Amino acid sequence: MSHSDALIQELEARAKKMTDHCLTQFCTFNQGHVGGTMSVMEIVTALYFHHIKFDPKNPDWPERDRVIMSKAHCCEAIYAALVELGMYSEEQLGTYYCYASPFQGHADRWCTPGIDFSGGSLGQGISFANGLALAEKLKIKLNPPSREDTFLPRYIVRYNPKFRTYVIMGDGELHEGQVWEGLMFASKFKLDNLIAIVDYNKWSLDGPTNDIMPIEPLADKFKAFGWTVYEVDGHDIRQLLDVLDLVHKQYGDNKPKAIIAHTVKGRGVSNWEELHMHLGRGDEMKKGVAEGRAKYGNVE
Amino acid sequence: MATWNKYVSIGAPAMTGKGIGKAIKQAFIDNPKAIAILEDMQFPEIEWFTDNMFDRMIECGIAEQNATGVAAGLAAEGFVPVTYNFLFASMGRAYNQIRQSILVDRFNVKFLAREGIWGEVGVSHATIEGWGSLRNLPNMVLINPADSVEAEKATTAMMQYIGPCAVKMEMSPNPFTIFTDDYQFDIGKAYSLRDGKDATIIATGYMVTEAIKAVDILEKEGLDVGVLNMSTLKPLDEEAIIAAAARTGAIVTAENSSDINGLGDAVACCLCENLPTPLVKVGIEDEFGQSGLITSERDELMDHFALSADDIAVSVREVLKKKAKFAK
């Protein structure tokens, strides 16, 4: 499609910068959810730096697109994006995990302007996103209409601004029963303004996701629940931009959209990839951060 | 017969659900942002809603966890969602969804929770431990109205309050209404039905009815016993509790749910910290519910769990013995 090479290169550079910001966060306590954060980096980059409507100067802008990080243990990637957008300083990255920091261990809407959902308890993001997407579609009938409102046609007002809702889920998270309740709901209410992105990095805490509890055939399951499904390489910015554009244009077809993004856990750092590392700590963390620093940018 | 304070007038029987239905209907007329979240368990005044508010009813099916998240999302966008279900389903099944998706961010979601130890439903539906389990959730407001009049006013107050709030809809049929129509309900304010001199029964929900009956039983024995209606379990009206304890020096608490983490524990804790006072709890002791028969003469479950007016009277006599012992 129509995305220029220059744009792709710019976003790839941005993803590297974000990775570097995440490494800074991991260094704070030599701990962090490295696996899922590294796998979701390009997805977050494509959303925040090209695709979504978002005003860093006005994070509560009613018309902003909502991004719900349901796998909120990987909120480091979102924090990195908010820093890159200028909402927070690079110094604040060093307060990750700290008391009274805007960068809490799991995303917290109350503490961090720019965050739309306090995630962390897995499986809940899809339902919250359902609520947002439904709110975008609901129109309010003033009943009874007040005198000021009588000029409105049939007393129906569009109370709510137009926006899209994106929910980022992990593959392990799909084990939660609530997710499937949520998928049914989105389909029933024809939430074509809702886009679910699965960061399918194939590994969860105890081992391979499909050994722990098989989720395959995943695309067929989404389809059977009434969703339109696309599969992309979740580290290929061009593919991500293309598919995001495609689903954007399909608004009005009454179907929720799922993008299954195939990714690699701990991507970009060799020992994290080899170990499929979930929560990084200890020597493996130090080793990985050193390699990442050399690869992604500013060496301390 | 005992005398009662200003807003008390014993009237005809009425279910608390009737008052809730009336209030919720009016709240939906007044506030176009109110949205009904259905969990395949109908809704108060369902027929009126189906006729008049069909576009504001979101049927989520038997999937309470998702329904709770949907409610949170709608509230985040300025709507006022109201969920309605048995307490075990909407609040027990979705406990963590309520905590994480709603209370952490103080989203303006309302809960109508059907609950009670009534009759036929059996152990699954009589979640007698459920109400108390919500008490240690930050940002939650818990109201258990005593009769249909208070239920109506409490539901109106809940809909006007900005923040998460639950009203318990007692399923036990009330033998009489307690309050006059001009009774003033405020969230977090207890109301003294009768001040008393010898002891105070602090009761909540359906048990206010039994407390009133107990006062008459005890009056025949020459005892002047007060009744404090503690409809808001959280935030607790500590001032009213301390004032009652200071006045009578003996407290009996009465709730028709688990006495662990419920009203009794809340009152006991408040008094231990502020004004240690002899206290006896009437409630369900660490036990699950079951089915039982209710007739005009007898309520098998109230007898089984020792919650009737006679049981409250026994507890008052017991606390008076403690009071005498403490005085020595």
Side-chain angles (χ1 to χ4, degrees), chain A residues 29-245:
Chain A
F29 285 98
N30 196 41
Q31 189 174 317
H33 292 91
V34 299
T37 301
M38 301 297 272
S39 68
V40 83
M41 203 71 69
E42 283 82 6
I43 295 168
V44 172
T45 307
L47 286 172
Y48 276 89
F49 297 98
H50 181 70
H51 190 72
I52 65 166
K53 285 189 292 177
F54 186 79
D55 179 4
K57 291 197 178 64
N58 183 12
D60 294 328
W61 180 35
E63 285 182 37
R64 74 190 183 283
D65 287 328
R66 275 55 163 174
V67 176
I68 304 307
M69 188 61 140
S70 190
K71 43 173 269 175
H73 52 283
C74 303
C75 54
E76 292 100 313
I78 305 278
Y79 297 158
L82 298 181
V83 167
E84 270 299 281
L85 288 163
M87 284 183 65
Y88 300 92
S89 69
E90 289 195 29
E91 287 69 45
Q92 282 175 293
L93 288 167
T95 66
Y96 174 59
Y97 274 175
C98 292
Y99 172 74
S101 166
F103 298 154
Q104 297 281 302
H106 285 77
D108 188 331
R109 177 181 166 122
W110 196 251
C111 295
T112 318
I115 294 283
D116 265 317
F117 177 61
S118 301
S121 181
L122 293 172
Q124 298 193 21
I126 180 72
S127 302
F128 187 78
N130 276 336
L132 299 181
L134 182 66
E136 199 262 348
K137 292 203 164 268
L138 285 177
K139 294 178 182 67
I140 287 183
K141 187 167 62 182
L142 292 175
N143 184 9
S146 63
R147 198 167 297 165
E148 290 77 11
D149 294 312
T150 46
F151 64 89
L152 292 164
R154 285 179 291 142
Y155 316 122
I156 291 179
V157 286
R158 191 180 176 88
Y159 156 73
N160 33 346
K162 284 191 88 70
F163 61 85
R164 303 287 165 88
T165 302
Y166 299 84
V167 54
I168 303 172
M169 295 189 282
D171 52 352
E173 183 179 10
L174 302 183
H175 294 154
E176 290 280 6
Q178 184 183 354
V179 170
W180 303 93
E181 293 182 6
L183 296 186
M184 277 193 281
F185 181 95
S187 181
K188 176 189 169 183
F189 286 93
K190 302 181 170 52
L191 300 178
D192 50 15
N193 52 356
L194 174 67
I195 297 104
I197 304 172
V198 179
D199 176 17
Y200 196 0
N201 61 28
K202 318 289 187 297
W203 284 77
S204 31
L205 190 75
D206 279 356
T209 308
N210 278 297
D211 286 357
I212 289 165
M213 186 57 67
I215 56 174
E216 287 292 345
L218 187 57
D220 289 344
K221 283 182 178 156
F222 271 97
K223 281 177 200 157
F225 276 72
W227 286 56
T228 303
V229 188
Y230 298 97
E231 296 197 57
V232 296
D233 175 349
H235 297 303
D236 186 323
I237 298 260
R238 188 181 290 279
Q239 284 191 33
L240 284 166
L241 294 191
D242 287 349
V243 76
L244 286 168
D245 273 0

Side-chain angles (χ1 to χ4, degrees), chain B residues 224-240:
Chain B
D224 182 3
V225 177
V227 177
L228 184 63
N229 171 32
M230 189 63 64
S231 38
T232 314
L233 176 60
K234 191 182 182 182
L236 196 67
D237 189 348
E238 298 204 339
E239 225 171 89

Side-chain angles (χ1 to χ4, degrees), chain A residues 62 64 66 107-110 116-121 124-132 134-136 138-144 159-161 163 176-178 181-185 188-189, chain B residues 28-33 35 52-74 76-79 93 96-102 104-107:
Chain A
R64 74 190 183 283
R66 275 55 163 174
D108 188 331
R109 177 181 166 122
W110 196 251
D116 265 317
F117 177 61
S118 301
S121 181
Q124 298 193 21
I126 180 72
S127 302
F128 187 78
N130 276 336
L132 299 181
L134 182 66
E136 199 262 348
L138 285 177
K139 294 178 182 67
I140 287 183
K141 187 167 62 182
L142 292 175
N143 184 9
Y159 156 73
N160 33 346
F163 61 85
E176 290 280 6
Q178 184 183 354
E181 293 182 6
L183 296 186
M184 277 193 281
F185 181 95
K188 176 189 169 183
F189 286 93
Chain B
F28 270 68
I29 292 169
D30 294 343
N31 185 355
K33 291 180 200 163
I35 293 280
N52 298 285
M53 293 283 164
F54 58 90
D55 53 344
R56 284 160 66 187
M57 296 162 77
I58 306 300
E59 176 60 84
C60 297
I62 307 168
E64 298 87 4
Q65 302 173 73
N66 177 60
T68 305
V70 168
L74 287 165
E77 295 302 325
F79 287 90
R93 183 63 163 262
N96 184 252
Q97 282 76 9
I98 289 174
R99 176 197 184 275
Q100 186 65 32
S101 289
I102 294 175
V104 165
D105 294 312
R106 303 176 202 181
F107 286 131

